[in-house]
Amino acid sequence: SEYNAKRFNPQDQLLVFFAGHGIYDENLSEGFVAARNSLANDKGRSTYIPHSILRQRLDNIKCEHIFLVMDVCFGGTLDPEFAKNRSTENGDTSDTDLLIRKLSQKTRKFLTSGSKEYVSDGVPGKHSPFASLFIQALKESGGKGNRIMTLYDLYPYFQRMKTQPRFGKFSEKDESTSDFVFVVSQN
C-alpha cells in the first residue's frame, strides 16, 4: 500500500529483493514466499504470500520500471508458465541514449535464485550463494569503467550456480524490449 501511494517519476526504477524461504504446493499449483509469521503446518497456505498475489501487488505499483529479485526456494515458480510445466545491440551509444532507450518502455521483470527446487542458504551469518553473486555482479560491472549495467549484464553471473536461476517477466504489462538498469553513482 505504501508503494502504491508513492509518486514515481517516469524514469524511476524500483528494485524489490526478497531473501528467505519459499515453497511450492503441487496441489495448488502455486509458489509461495514464507513470511516471518508463516506457520509450518499451514496446509491452506493462508499464512504465506502466494506468488500470484505478489505479482499482482507489484504490477499495481505506479512505477514504470520494477525489477523483482527472489532469493528463495522454488522462486522460479513465480513464472506461472514454468510452474505448470516443468537483445543484441550493435555499436556503441552514449550513456544518456542508452538510458533513454532502456527506460522508455514499461518493465516488469524478475530474477530468482532457483527454479522449482530448494536453494542454498549458504553459510550461517554470510550471504547466500545467490546474494553473493548478485553483489559481485554489481561491484564488478561498476568497477570496469561501465557506468550502466543492464539485466542482461547481470544474468550471466548466475549461469554456473548449482541451482537454475529463472529470469523473465511477471506481468503482461512488461514490454519485451524493456530493461532495468543500474547506474553507478559518480561520487
Side-chain angles (χ1 to χ4, degrees):
S1 295
E2 185 178 322
Y3 282 99
N4 261 331
K6 185 174 172 63
R7 288 183 175 237
F8 292 93
N9 292 318
Q11 302 305 316
D12 285 348
Q13 299 183 105
L14 177 62
L15 169 68
V16 180
F17 193 107
F18 273 101
H21 300 286
I23 62 167
Y24 182 77
D25 189 314
E26 290 285 347
N27 293 327
L28 298 173
S29 297
E30 174 85 81
F32 297 85
V33 175
R36 183 183 326 161
N37 60 347
S38 294
L39 304 173
N41 60 353
D42 180 3
K43 293 184 177 165
R45 307 294 183 217
S46 62
T47 60
Y48 291 76
I49 303 167
H51 288 174
S52 58
I53 297 295
L54 183 59
R55 284 192 308 270
Q56 178 187 28
R57 297 285 165 86
L58 289 173
D59 195 24
N60 286 330
I61 295 173
K62 295 166 188 78
C63 181
E64 290 292 310
H65 309 284
I66 301 173
F67 179 39
L68 169 63
V69 180
M70 294 178 51
D71 186 4
V72 299
C73 295
F74 304 97
T77 62
L78 181 80
D79 180 348
E81 290 301 312
F82 180 76
K84 71 180 178 185
N85 300 323
R86 189 141 160 130
S87 126
T88 305
E89 298 164 1
N90 296 323
D92 290 337
T93 186
S94 72
D95 287 351
T96 302
D97 289 342
L98 178 62
L99 286 172
I100 289 169
R101 186 176 71 229
K102 293 294 183 181
L103 297 177
S104 66
Q105 298 182 357
K106 189 168 277 205
T107 307
R108 296 290 188 266
K109 304 244 190 272
F110 72 87
L111 173 66
T112 67
S113 57
S115 295
K116 197 174 184 180
E117 61 196 333
Y118 290 100
V119 297
S120 174
D121 290 338
V123 179
K126 303 279 186 185
H127 294 297
S128 71
F130 176 81
S132 294
L133 287 172
F134 193 88
I135 293 166
Q136 178 185 348
L138 293 174
K139 286 180 178 178
E140 287 182 1
S141 290
K144 292 182 180 175
N146 300 331
R147 291 201 50 231
I148 299 172
M149 182 175 86
T150 68
L151 295 181
Y152 300 100
D153 297 324
L154 178 66
Y155 192 69
Y157 279 83
F158 306 105
Q159 293 304 301
R160 294 197 171 266
M161 287 183 61
K162 288 184 179 182
T163 57
Q164 182 59 51
R166 297 279 298 159
F167 173 76
K169 64 179 185 173
F170 67 82
S171 167
E172 293 305 314
K173 291 180 183 176
D174 181 73
E175 296 182 59
S176 62
T177 58
S178 69
D179 208 336
F180 191 92
V181 296
F182 299 88
V183 180
V184 177
S185 66
Q186 300 294 96
N187 294 342

